[in-house]
């Protein structure tokens, strides 16, 4: 199938400030040209792009997809610790079927919000992998670890076996990460094992780090080190690609230290505000040369998976907490929500920008909206004014997953009914 998007406003995310009016050619899974059309290209279908802005699909670099089940549930508690004390007993009751249904729902929400790639950390990852295949999007699925070494060795072996058929079936849309949950839930040996497994298999290590002041204070009390120093000194960050979610509370020394490793910080501003964790000074991390990606965290601490909302909040927070020279720009926030996430997951050569040769993961955003008129600066428009409901069409790997806001790959009404029933059953267990 050859498809032409004609005469659109295109933001390729290849160069700061670059936008152009032109065409995009898609042949099968791949983009074949961006900008000037190829006269020899014979399209099977032409989409009139004159009222659309086309940009790369969004990348949600940290979530717990199935926590959508616990959305708006006991979520007005004062701290992360108090909230986790309510959530962990519910999670103990979840089955793989619950996770499958919730993952389908989460994937519908991601597609509707223009996201076609996410990094997940949760239980029963094979169920989430199945939902990724059904939904047609991309997943970087975590083998999640809690506790001591022996149980985690067994867990990794079991999960690898369970996930293997899904990896084979996903046509390159599935990757794995190893996800020790946090310093306060995993032993040092578990972290070291996770890091050696990630090195051996070329996977990313994904963890929560320095999310709250209490986590940092407890780590210093127990080890004499801050969380980044602890992971560095124990060899966990050495020679491994890592994604560190939150990093709200970093010292100057922590920032200098993290800059020396192949790590990406994942900013989750809504969750950090809602759980009273604080505001991560993102511009100072970028200034130090540490890449930053954007995530929603789970829908139970957000309470949605809306990357447009996340970009908006990140942009606004990035204006008030920094010095004048360090204010976040709209383009930086768009980079965080697209190519930085893809690069962090090791798939930046495939997706994250619109370029010939890359796979066609892109969004058509309807510009015929009162709140986008006049458009003026399109980067400002995307982070400050646009709504996820402005997304008309979503492509992943050249396939249309949503058009005119109708998700094609999953049955939204059935999935919502299934999740309602599943949640009612969980509460009775
Ligand atoms: Zn999280």
């Amino acid at each position: 199938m050859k498809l032409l998007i004609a005469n659109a406003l295109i933001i390729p995310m290849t160069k700061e400030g670059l936008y152009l009016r032109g065409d995009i050619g898609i042949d099968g899974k791949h983009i074949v040209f961006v900008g000037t059309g190829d006269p020899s290209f014979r399209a099977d279908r032409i989409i009139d792009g004159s009222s659309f802005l086309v940009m790369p699909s969004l990348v949600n670099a940290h979530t717990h997809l199935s926590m959508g089940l616990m959305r708006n549930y006991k979520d007005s508690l004062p701290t992360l610790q108090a909230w986790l004390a309510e959530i962990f007993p519910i999670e103990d009751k979840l089955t793989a079927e619950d996770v499958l249904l919730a993952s389908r729902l989460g994937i519908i929400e991601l597609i509707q919000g223009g996201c076609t790639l996410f990094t997940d950390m949760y239980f029963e990852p094979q169920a989430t992998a199945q939902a990724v295949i059904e939904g047609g999007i991309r997943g970087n699925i975590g083998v999640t670890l809690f506790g001591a070494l022996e149980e985690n060795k067994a867990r990794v072996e079991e999960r690898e076996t369970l996930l293997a058929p899904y990896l084979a079936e996903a046509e390159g849309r599935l990757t794995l990460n190893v996800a020790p949950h946090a310093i306060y839930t995993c032993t040092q040996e578990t972290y070291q094992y996770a890091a050696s497994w990630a090195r051996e298999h070329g996977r990313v290590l994904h963890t929560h780090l320095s999310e709250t002041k209490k986590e940092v204070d407890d780590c210093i009390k127990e080890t004499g080190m801050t969380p980044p120093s602890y992971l560095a000194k124990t060899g966990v960050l050495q020679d491994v690609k890592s994604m560190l979610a939150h990093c709200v509370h970093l010292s100057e020394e922590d920032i200098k230290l993290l800059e020396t490793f192949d790590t990406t910080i994942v900013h989750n501003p809504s969750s950090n505000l809602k759980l009273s964790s604080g505001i991560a000074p993102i511009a100072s991390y970028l200034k130090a040369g540490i890449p930053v990606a954007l995530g929603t965290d789970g829908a139970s601490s957000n309470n949605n998976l809306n990357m447009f909302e996340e970009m908006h909040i990140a942009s606004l927070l990035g204006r008030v907490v920094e010095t004048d020279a360090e204010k976040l720009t709209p383009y930086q926030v768009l980079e965080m929500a697209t190519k930085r996430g893809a690069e962090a997951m090791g798939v930046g050569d495939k997706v994250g920008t619109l370029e010939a040769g890359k796979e066609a993961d892109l969004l058509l955003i309807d510009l015929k909206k009162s709140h986008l008129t006049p458009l003026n600066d399109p980067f400002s428009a995307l982070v400050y004014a646009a709504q996820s409901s402005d997304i008309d069409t979503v492509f992943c790997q050249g396939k249309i997953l949503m058009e005119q806001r109708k998700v094609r790959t999953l049955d939204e009404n059935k999935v919502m009914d299934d999740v309602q029933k599943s949640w009612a059953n969980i509460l009775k267990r």
Side-chain angles (χ1 to χ4, degrees), residues 210-239:
S210 299
E211 179 173 0
T212 62
K213 187 164 182 308
K214 178 174 167 32
E215 176 192 333
V216 176
D217 290 345
D218 289 350
C219 186
I220 291 172
K221 210 181 290 172
E222 281 171 35
T223 69
M225 294 178 268
T226 62
S229 301
Y230 170 75
L231 290 190
K233 287 269 166 52
T234 51
V236 172
L237 296 177
Q238 197 68 46
D239 300 322

XYZ file of all heavy atoms in Angstrom, residues 210-239:
227
model
N 14.989 8.583 42.801
C 14.952 9.919 43.424
C 13.622 10.628 43.148
O 13.579 11.796 42.789
C 16.124 10.779 42.928
O 17.348 10.182 43.277
N 12.538 9.861 43.368
C 11.201 10.413 43.086
C 10.770 11.367 44.198
O 10.176 12.407 43.937
C 10.201 9.258 42.933
C 8.772 9.703 42.667
C 7.836 8.544 42.361
O 8.305 7.384 42.354
O 6.635 8.792 42.140
N 11.052 10.949 45.469
C 10.627 11.787 46.600
C 11.828 12.117 47.482
O 12.845 11.424 47.462
C 9.593 11.047 47.471
O 10.221 9.870 48.015
C 8.369 10.653 46.676
N 11.647 13.146 48.303
C 12.725 13.519 49.232
C 12.919 12.394 50.249
O 14.043 12.087 50.649
C 12.371 14.835 49.924
C 13.508 15.357 50.763
C 13.343 16.800 51.142
C 14.538 17.286 51.957
N 14.861 16.451 53.117
N 11.812 11.753 50.636
C 11.921 10.651 51.607
C 12.781 9.512 51.047
O 13.613 8.954 51.761
C 10.518 10.132 51.964
C 10.559 8.949 52.922
C 9.169 8.550 53.363
C 9.085 7.212 54.061
N 10.196 6.769 54.850
N 12.581 9.180 49.765
C 13.390 8.113 49.160
C 14.876 8.462 49.244
O 15.705 7.616 49.589
C 12.976 7.928 47.687
C 13.823 6.897 46.955
C 13.610 6.915 45.435
O 12.525 7.315 44.977
O 14.547 6.529 44.725
N 15.206 9.716 48.956
C 16.613 10.147 48.981
C 17.137 10.095 50.421
O 18.214 9.539 50.679
C 16.758 11.574 48.396
C 18.201 12.051 48.510
C 16.304 11.583 46.935
N 16.361 10.629 51.370
C 16.802 10.646 52.783
C 17.001 9.225 53.299
O 17.991 8.936 53.976
C 15.771 11.368 53.661
C 15.730 12.865 53.384
O 16.679 13.367 52.741
O 14.751 13.517 53.789
N 16.065 8.316 52.974
C 16.177 6.924 53.445
C 17.410 6.249 52.849
O 18.112 5.491 53.530
C 14.923 6.118 53.063
C 13.707 6.528 53.879
O 13.887 7.289 54.859
O 12.588 6.098 53.533
N 17.673 6.510 51.582
C 18.819 5.893 50.911
C 20.126 6.378 51.547
O 21.040 5.584 51.798
C 18.774 6.221 49.414
S 20.038 5.370 48.455
N 20.188 7.668 51.848
C 21.406 8.213 52.485
C 21.576 7.597 53.874
O 22.681 7.211 54.266
C 21.322 9.762 52.565
C 21.410 10.354 51.151
C 22.437 10.334 53.449
C 21.144 11.849 51.064
N 20.448 7.446 54.599
C 20.506 6.873 55.955
C 21.025 5.424 55.905
O 21.836 5.009 56.703
C 19.097 6.902 56.567
C 19.108 7.057 58.089
C 17.701 7.045 58.663
C 16.904 8.284 58.322
N 15.499 8.185 58.716
N 20.538 4.663 54.919
C 20.895 3.237 54.865
C 22.240 2.956 54.213
O 22.945 2.028 54.583
C 19.809 2.468 54.094
C 18.591 2.194 54.953
C 17.445 1.636 54.127
O 17.705 0.888 53.171
O 16.285 1.970 54.446
N 22.608 3.760 53.215
C 23.818 3.431 52.439
C 24.896 4.504 52.518
O 26.010 4.288 52.047
C 23.459 3.233 50.943
O 23.085 4.509 50.402
C 22.321 2.255 50.755
N 24.519 5.679 53.044
C 25.472 6.795 53.060
C 25.587 7.474 51.701
O 26.446 8.339 51.514
N 24.735 7.074 50.761
C 24.826 7.633 49.400
C 23.441 8.070 48.898
O 22.425 7.518 49.319
C 25.363 6.561 48.431
C 26.792 6.147 48.693
S 27.317 4.844 47.555
C 26.907 3.396 48.504
N 23.425 9.017 47.954
C 22.163 9.358 47.283
C 21.814 8.206 46.319
O 22.694 7.420 45.947
C 22.307 10.651 46.460
O 23.289 10.425 45.436
C 22.708 11.836 47.332
N 20.554 8.122 45.867
C 20.202 7.028 44.948
C 21.077 6.942 43.691
O 21.557 5.849 43.368
C 18.723 7.292 44.641
C 18.212 7.938 45.892
C 19.344 8.836 46.353
N 21.372 8.052 42.976
C 22.254 7.896 41.801
C 23.655 7.418 42.188
O 24.235 6.576 41.483
C 22.312 9.307 41.196
C 21.064 9.954 41.651
C 20.818 9.420 43.027
N 24.205 7.911 43.329
C 25.547 7.455 43.761
C 25.512 5.972 44.083
O 26.439 5.235 43.738
C 26.004 8.180 45.025
O 26.048 9.521 44.812
N 24.433 5.547 44.734
C 24.288 4.140 45.108
C 24.299 3.252 43.853
O 25.023 2.258 43.780
C 22.990 3.977 45.900
C 22.553 2.563 46.163
C 23.183 1.779 47.128
C 21.491 2.014 45.457
C 22.768 0.472 47.368
C 21.062 0.724 45.692
C 21.702 -0.048 46.640
O 21.285 -1.333 46.869
N 23.521 3.628 42.834
C 23.492 2.817 41.609
C 24.831 2.874 40.875
O 25.273 1.889 40.287
C 22.367 3.279 40.672
C 20.935 2.999 41.118
C 19.962 3.283 39.968
C 20.737 1.564 41.597
N 25.493 4.030 40.941
C 26.798 4.154 40.270
C 27.853 3.335 41.013
O 28.596 2.567 40.394
C 27.207 5.626 40.202
N 27.895 3.481 42.337
C 28.944 2.807 43.128
C 28.798 1.281 43.096
O 29.785 0.560 43.197
C 28.886 3.281 44.586
C 29.390 4.696 44.787
C 30.891 4.708 45.095
C 31.517 6.092 44.973
N 30.853 7.141 45.718
N 27.560 0.801 42.956
C 27.356 -0.651 42.931
C 27.462 -1.206 41.500
O 27.168 -2.379 41.259
C 25.982 -1.018 43.531
O 24.974 -0.222 42.889
C 25.939 -0.755 45.025
N 27.838 -0.349 40.543
C 28.098 -0.800 39.168
C 26.864 -0.954 38.312
O 26.956 -1.408 37.168
N 25.705 -0.567 38.828
C 24.440 -0.821 38.111
C 24.331 0.017 36.832
O 23.797 -0.456 35.822
C 23.243 -0.570 39.064
C 21.930 -0.627 38.321
C 23.274 -1.571 40.212
N 24.842 1.255 36.869
C 24.687 2.135 35.700
C 25.811 1.973 34.677
O 25.750 2.557 33.593
C 24.624 3.601 36.157
C 23.430 3.978 37.035
C 23.527 5.430 37.475
C 22.108 3.751 36.304
N 26.811 1.164 35.040
C 27.997 1.039 34.190
C 27.695 0.228 32.923
O 27.139 -0.873 33.014
C 29.101 0.329 34.995
C 30.490 0.489 34.412
C 30.997 1.914 34.510
O 30.889 2.542 35.559
N 31.501 2.429 33.411
N 28.055 0.759 31.771
C 27.948 0.028 30.487
C 26.547 -0.514 30.231
O 26.378 -1.613 29.707
C 28.945 -1.144 30.452
C 30.377 -0.657 30.608
O 30.678 0.410 30.058
O 31.164 -1.332 31.300
